[in-house]
Each structure stands twice: as structure tokens, then as C-alpha cells.
Amino acid sequence: MDIILTFFVAYLDKTTYLLVDDHKKIAWKYSSSWLAFDIISTIPSELAQKISPKPLRSYGLFNMLRLWRLRRVSALFSRMEKDKNYNYFWVRCAKLICVTLFAVHCAGCFYYYIAARYHDPGRTWIALSLGDNFLEQSLWIRYVTSMYWSITTLTTVGYGDLHPVNTREMVFTIFYMLFNLGLTAYLIGNMTNLVVHGTSRTRRFRDTIQAASSFALRNQLPHRLQDQMLAHLCLKFRTDSEGLQQQEIIDSLPKAIRSSISHYLFYSLMDKVYLFRGVSNDLLFQLVSEMKAEYFPPKEDVILQNEAPTDFYILVTGAVVVGEAKAGDLCGEIGVLCYRPQLFTVRTKRLCQLLRLNRTAFLNIIQANVGDGTIIMNNLLQHLKDMNDPIMEGVLIETENMLARGRMDLPLNLCFAALRGDDLLLNQLLKRGLDPNESDNNGRTALV
């Protein structure tokens, strides 16, 4: 049945890396590779002995050909190692155990076979333990004795109670010990890799912490900065070890998949942000695709007062101090949109996830959506008015002056200036050659 099913299983073409499901190609590939061995390995041993020449009947060669089926066991383990439903560590351990038990079993059985076929039973290795009549002992005792010899030889313990006596046994033992050199190296190498893989991340983390601590002490950094450095490194290790490296995973995917994932995770949050209230769905989709999700530990500075406005952030989870921000609130947007040094220092209160958007990427997207740029500016100005804060009132006046002089980087249309009744801005936009008949999202022009 297994052979028949193989004729209907597609295979991966190693030249094109495409699955081939053409039945003729599948049949040809299988027939020219493993079909003959698979058929031979299924022939019943009794039938094989009857059709074999008399000198070969006692050796059970066709029984040994059944070992060919083990290649399917190896393929099974290979698939399980790549299957996310199984733990790689335990699958690998199970494979190593099976390899070891199979090697020990085969060596013990073959070694016993040599003793059982020797013309003088008293001059065999097993006779040293069970006596000359070992053939009369139970099968279980003989098997355990054979496995005992095989395991003590494999592990290089060699108690000396069982050892080769005749030449045949000596020759087999020589080859078995040479084989054990490779098998032991294989087992130790694989186990070392498994252990090192589990501890290497912790070792690298400790080395990084040690290097950061040395850097801080060498440069006499304040304790607050030292704590922030170490907290950030600890958070990075924690997110990596717990599988929370969200942005790294997203960045490794094609752009279309990245955009779809970001849309699923963050679109509903972006739709609630005051700055983007009323903008088109196309703009929101583009903005979400460009945002980067980042984690910040407690008491870490996200934005410093008076630093250059290169990015702004949207809080996803956690809390930051600028007032008291909640999920969906913005940080640093005033500095980015008005292109002025950041007004406040923004610091996390607890573990936070924030979406970061670069100012250049943001403006590039807005340039292709002039109408949405006008809506965003209106939302910002209204937000500054609603805050009823003396500092924000000064920012509002300064922003309106910049608008009037045409010094804002956001693309604005004539409808925006007409709606505000700003003659100076209207004059500046007309000098730039903007079309007075251009309509906004509601179909209105500056003349209506």
C-alpha cells in the first residue's frame, strides 16, 4: 500500500523548488530511484529463503533488506523536526535515542549470531557468562547478555567480564569499536548543540549586560541612564525569549503580508486617534503599513524635551507620562507636524507597546493625499484649542502664523484656507499655482 501511494504523492523539484504533481513524472522519478529497493524489502522472508540458493538460505539476507524501510523512519523524524506542532528539542532527543538503541540492538544481535554459529560453543564470548550450553538458556537471558555487552562497549566502560575469544569475534569487535567512535561523536555533538542552543541566548544576554555595565561605568553615566539601558536590554531579552519579537517577525515577511498583519492588529486603534479622525481609509491603511511596533520598559524615556522631531508615537498598551496617556493617544505629533523641537519629555510608567511613525515617511504619504493632509491639520488645530493650556495656546498661535506664511510641510489646499478665512494663506497658496476649482472630499471648492 505504501508503494502504491507513493505514485500519487507530489515531490519537490530541487531545480525549480516547485511541487510536481504530474503522475507520469512522479512515476518516472520513483521508478528510477527507490522503487526496486522498496519492492525487495517487502518480499516475505520465507519465500525469499525458498527461492535463494542453499548457501544463502541460512544467512537471512532478505531479512536484512527489510532494514531499507528505516529510511522512511528517518524521513518521518525530519518532517517532525520541521513541524511546529512538535517540540524540536524532544523530537531530536527521541531521534538520538532511537538511533542509539537501534545501533546497540543490531550490534548485540550480530555478535550473538557469530557466537551461535561458531563451531566450538565453549570458545565464544557468551560462553564466558552463560556456559557452553548457552543455546539452552532462555531467549530473554541471551538477549539481555548481548545488549549488556553492546552497551558497555558503546559507552567504552568495558568491565572485561565479556570479551571476544575467537578471531571472528575479535574482528567484529574491532569494527564495532571503530563504528562507535563516529556514533559517539554524532551523539555528543547533537546533544551539545541542543544544550548550547538552549543556553546561548542567556549567555549572549549576560555578555551584553556586562558590556553595557562596563560602558556606563567607564563613561560615568548617571544612575538613571544606567537603569534605563539595562531595563531596555532586559526587556529585549524577555521579548525574544517569550516569542514577543513582533516587529522582527513582521519585517521578515513580504510587504503585502506585513501590511495585512499591521492592518489587522492596529487599524481599529488608528481609526480612533484624534489626528486621523475623518481621513480616508486609504490613508489609514498606508500609515498603518509604515508603523513600527516597539516595546519600552517602565521608566524609560521615549521622547526627550527639545530633541529633533523625527518620530511620533501612538500608545497601544501601557501608560506614559505627558499628562496621563491612554491607548490610542499620540506622543510627539505636535513637534512632527509643526516641525519644532519636542515640547515635553515622554516617559513610560509601565511596560508599554507603542507604534512609531517616522516624520519623513508620514509626510511622503500625506503628499499623495492632499485632502487628508488638510483634515489632519484641522484636527491638530482643533485639538490645540480644546486643550485649554497656556503652552498649547502659544503653540496654536505660532502654528497659525506658520500656516499664514506657508511654512508648513503638510500639503494644504485652497479649501482649507477659505474655510478658515485666512486671506494670507489663501494668497500664498494661489502664488504656488494651486487650482481654485480643486474640490475637497465633500465636492466643495474654495469659490463655493
Side-chain angles (χ1 to χ4, degrees):
M1 180 62 70
D2 201 16
I3 294 174
I4 295 174
L5 289 177
T6 305
F7 282 98
F8 298 93
V9 177
Y11 68 91
L12 183 67
D13 190 333
K14 295 184 178 180
T15 304
T16 61
Y17 291 97
L18 298 175
L19 278 177
V20 178
D21 57 0
D22 183 84
H23 292 303
K24 292 183 178 179
K25 292 183 179 180
I26 295 173
W28 170 251
K29 183 178 184 300
Y30 185 40
S31 301
S32 59
S33 55
W34 308 121
L35 177 61
F37 292 97
D38 287 344
I39 292 176
I40 293 174
S41 66
T42 59
I43 297 177
S45 58
E46 295 81 5
L47 176 61
Q49 287 181 355
K50 289 182 180 180
I51 64 176
S52 299
K54 287 185 178 181
L56 299 177
R57 289 181 182 179
S58 60
Y59 291 95
L61 294 179
F62 279 89
N63 279 338
M64 296 185 65
L65 287 174
R66 291 187 177 184
L67 297 178
W68 176 254
R69 301 178 187 177
L70 289 175
R71 73 181 183 88
R72 296 187 180 274
V73 178
S74 177
L76 173 64
F77 274 111
S78 297
R79 289 195 299 269
M80 291 177 65
E81 289 174 358
K82 300 178 181 68
D83 194 329
K84 63 181 180 64
N85 295 317
Y86 300 98
N87 184 281
Y88 175 80
F89 177 85
W90 293 114
V91 170
R92 196 68 183 174
C93 287
K95 180 179 180 180
L96 295 177
I97 292 173
C98 290
V99 169
T100 305
L101 292 177
F102 177 73
V104 168
H105 169 81
C106 290
C109 291
F110 199 80
Y111 200 47
Y112 170 78
Y113 182 81
I114 293 175
R117 294 292 176 176
Y118 196 67
H119 61 85
D120 185 3
R123 293 187 63 250
T124 59
W125 66 273
I126 196 170
L128 297 177
S129 174
L130 302 182
D132 297 351
N133 62 340
F134 64 87
L135 292 173
E136 300 176 4
Q137 299 287 340
S138 68
L139 180 62
W140 173 250
I141 293 177
R142 285 178 285 167
Y143 180 73
V144 170
T145 305
S146 301
M147 292 294 289
Y148 169 76
W149 169 86
S150 184
I151 292 175
T152 54
T153 305
L154 172 67
T155 56
T156 68
V157 174
Y159 290 116
D161 51 345
L162 295 177
H163 56 81
V165 176
N166 56 63
T167 305
R168 293 181 187 177
E169 295 171 353
M170 292 179 184
V171 172
F172 175 77
T173 303
I174 289 173
F175 282 103
Y176 183 50
M177 287 189 291
L178 292 175
F179 168 77
N180 285 343
L181 292 177
L183 180 61
T184 304
Y186 170 79
L187 296 174
I188 294 176
N190 276 272
M191 292 304 298
T192 301
N193 283 337
L194 290 175
V195 174
V196 169
H197 177 74
T199 60
S200 59
R201 187 183 294 111
T202 302
R203 177 176 52 80
R204 289 196 301 268
F205 167 69
R206 292 179 64 88
D207 292 343
T208 304
I209 290 293
Q210 183 63 39
S213 300
S214 300
F215 171 81
L217 292 175
R218 185 169 59 253
N219 293 278
Q220 299 181 350
L221 296 180
H223 289 295
R224 184 177 64 83
L225 285 180
Q226 294 184 36
D227 293 341
Q228 287 190 12
M229 286 176 54
L230 298 180
H232 185 81
L233 293 174
C234 291
L235 176 63
K236 181 173 177 56
F237 171 75
R238 176 181 164 189
T239 54
D240 288 347
S241 60
E242 295 180 3
L244 297 176
Q245 54 271 48
Q246 177 171 290
Q247 193 58 47
E248 290 84 348
I249 295 173
I250 293 177
D251 289 341
S252 65
L253 299 172
K255 182 175 176 55
I257 299 178
R258 291 202 309 266
S259 300
S260 299
I261 293 174
S262 299
H263 181 273
Y264 176 79
L265 293 176
F266 306 121
Y267 183 87
S268 59
L269 178 70
M270 288 280 291
D271 197 32
K272 299 175 183 177
V273 175
Y274 84 86
L275 195 63
F276 307 123
R277 194 174 297 127
V279 301
S280 64
N281 292 331
D282 291 341
L283 178 72
L284 280 180
F285 187 86
Q286 294 174 46
L287 291 176
V288 168
S289 301
E290 291 296 327
M291 288 190 160
K292 307 293 182 183
E294 297 180 353
Y295 284 94
F296 290 85
K299 299 180 180 179
E300 179 170 340
D301 293 337
V302 179
I303 297 175
L304 292 177
Q305 187 178 17
N306 295 323
E307 74 174 1
T310 57
D311 305 281
F312 68 89
Y313 297 85
I314 300 175
L315 182 64
V316 180
T317 59
V320 298
V321 178
V322 187
E324 184 70 25
K326 59 182 182 298
D329 283 356
L330 286 166
C331 307
E333 79 283 7
I334 297 174
V336 168
L337 293 175
C338 301
Y339 200 62
R340 55 175 297 160
Q342 294 290 4
L343 298 174
F344 308 102
T345 293
V346 179
R347 183 175 299 137
T348 59
K349 294 182 64 177
R350 52 180 180 268
L351 177 64
C352 297
Q353 184 187 21
L354 295 101
L355 296 178
R356 177 175 60 83
L357 182 59
N358 181 263
R359 181 178 187 272
T360 303
F362 173 70
L363 292 178
N364 288 339
I365 294 173
I366 296 300
Q367 291 293 336
N369 300 271
V370 178
D372 290 321
T374 300
I375 295 174
I376 289 174
M377 182 52 66
N378 272 327
N379 289 338
L380 175 65
L381 295 176
Q382 186 61 44
H383 179 70
L384 294 176
K385 290 178 182 177
D386 294 341
M387 292 184 72
N388 295 323
D389 184 274
I391 297 178
M392 292 299 117
E393 289 178 2
V395 172
L396 175 61
I397 294 172
E398 185 177 343
T399 302
E400 290 178 334
N401 290 334
M402 292 177 65
L403 280 172
R405 298 187 185 96
R407 293 170 54 189
M408 298 294 291
D409 291 327
L410 280 178
L412 303 174
N413 57 24
L414 292 171
C415 292
F416 175 77
L419 184 63
R420 290 176 49 81
D422 194 330
D423 296 338
L424 184 57
L425 176 59
L426 191 63
N427 186 43
Q428 291 283 346
L429 295 177
L430 288 171
K431 285 183 179 179
R432 294 182 189 177
L434 268 66
D435 184 6
N437 294 315
E438 180 184 1
S439 61
D440 60 11
N441 293 339
N442 297 319
R444 296 177 300 182
T445 68
L447 301 176
V448 178

